[in-house]
Amino acid sequence: MDRLRGRGRARDFPRWPLEHELPGGVPLITFPEISMWGLGPWGGFGATVLPRHFTGLWNQVKGKAQGCMLYSEGIYEDLNKVIELQFYWNDRPAEATLREYADYELYGADPEEFPALCRLLELDHVNDPDAAPAGLAQKALALAEKLDAALPEAGRRSWRWRLIYLRAVLDVERLVGRTVQSETAVAALRELIALYGLPKYSEELGPMHRAIRPPLYE
């Protein structure tokens, strides 16, 4: 059985519905997990972008599935929503979706460079700095800065782009600098909290609130 592996974990769709007829001949409707994969807090460092991961899952299930209901936790996985919906709508490859997304949402930036940035961010989708490929975060940030410079002012300020750009900034801080307490990191985390519309942090919010909040508790 072919397996897609990432950081030592299998990335496979459950085998049973792929290898057996479904009871009663009912259609298979999937529940794609587009929010809580691999990097915590969920959305805590900006955009979650996983085109390769979802392509692997889609290639396994697309002969069986007839629809989906996306499991969404927040705006940080906007790109994942678009990728998955295009899979189910017309089997559109993730790279083509990313180019079209860039062409529409990031007008002025090179739509061929945007998928490259997404690939780099996916490779850095880890919590452990020792698991991150050397030099990748800096490369992603340099590409993000290049794309940012090409955008019109409205594009640079859009929440969709800011979530992606801040992810590149924070990947350098947390994976290379190994801190999210630097001045640059704190500024980026504050912006994310504002973009998410989160309340001021309080212990009264409960322990699970930390799982969905950028790691700044001031």
Side-chain angles (χ1 to χ4, degrees), residues 81-92:
K81 290 186 182 82
V82 178
I83 289 170
E84 283 284 358
L85 290 173
Q86 285 295 300
F87 284 156
Y88 282 86
W89 184 257
N90 61 1
D91 193 18
R92 188 177 180 86

Side-chain angles (χ1 to χ4, degrees), residues 17-40:
L18 301 182
E19 297 171 349
H20 299 82
E21 291 297 323
L22 297 180
V26 297
L28 175 63
I29 305 298
T30 68
F31 194 41
E33 169 53 270
I34 62 172
S35 300
M36 300 185 295
W37 179 267
L39 181 61

Side-chain angles (χ1 to χ4, degrees), residues 193 198-214 216-218:
I193 288 169
L198 294 172
K200 183 177 176 60
Y201 181 74
S202 167
E203 292 291 341
E204 295 179 359
L205 292 169
M208 282 304 295
H209 190 73
R210 286 176 176 253
I212 60 170
R213 184 185 186 92
L216 184 65
Y217 312 113
E218 54 182 23

Side-chain angles (χ1 to χ4, degrees), residues 165-184:
Y165 181 82
L166 292 172
R167 166 67 190 280
V169 170
L170 284 166
D171 277 1
V172 171
E173 298 299 307
R174 67 188 185 87
L175 298 176
V176 181
R178 295 174 179 253
T179 182
V180 290
Q181 300 302 316
S182 67
E183 183 178 346
T184 297

Side-chain angles (χ1 to χ4, degrees), residues 46-49 75-82 101-102 104-106 114 117-118 121 148 151 154-167 191-192 195-196:
T48 294
V49 190
I75 61 174
Y76 62 88
E77 17 84 325
D78 187 65
L79 269 169
N80 294 341
K81 290 186 182 82
V82 178
Y101 187 97
Y104 184 81
E105 297 291 351
L106 308 177
F114 181 66
L117 173 60
C118 293
L121 294 177
D148 188 72
L151 291 172
R156 282 197 298 274
R157 291 188 287 104
S158 73
W159 65 263
R160 287 182 171 88
W161 173 243
R162 291 306 295 171
L163 293 183
I164 295 164
Y165 181 82
L166 292 172
R167 166 67 190 280
E191 184 175 349
L192 285 177
L195 288 169
Y196 295 157

Side-chain angles (χ1 to χ4, degrees), residues 32-146:
E33 169 53 270
I34 62 172
S35 300
M36 300 185 295
W37 179 267
L39 181 61
W42 309 316
F45 305 107
T48 294
V49 190
L50 300 170
R52 179 178 176 272
H53 169 60
F54 291 120
T55 295
L57 290 172
W58 172 244
N59 285 338
Q60 294 179 28
V61 76
K62 66 181 180 180
K64 284 272 191 174
Q66 297 185 36
C68 72
M69 178 180 176
L70 298 177
Y71 183 78
S72 174
E73 287 275 345
I75 61 174
Y76 62 88
E77 17 84 325
D78 187 65
L79 269 169
N80 294 341
K81 290 186 182 82
V82 178
I83 289 170
E84 283 284 358
L85 290 173
Q86 285 295 300
F87 284 156
Y88 282 86
W89 184 257
N90 61 1
D91 193 18
R92 188 177 180 86
E95 292 270 320
T97 298
L98 291 173
R99 287 193 295 271
E100 185 175 6
Y101 187 97
D103 194 44
Y104 184 81
E105 297 291 351
L106 308 177
Y107 181 77
D110 187 338
E112 297 300 323
E113 291 185 327
F114 181 66
L117 173 60
C118 293
R119 289 192 294 270
L120 293 174
L121 294 177
E122 181 166 17
L123 291 171
D124 268 338
H125 192 80
V126 294
N127 279 319
D128 181 4
D130 292 328
L136 208 68
Q138 298 98 317
K139 185 177 180 181
L141 180 56
L143 185 51
E145 289 174 339
K146 180 181 179 182

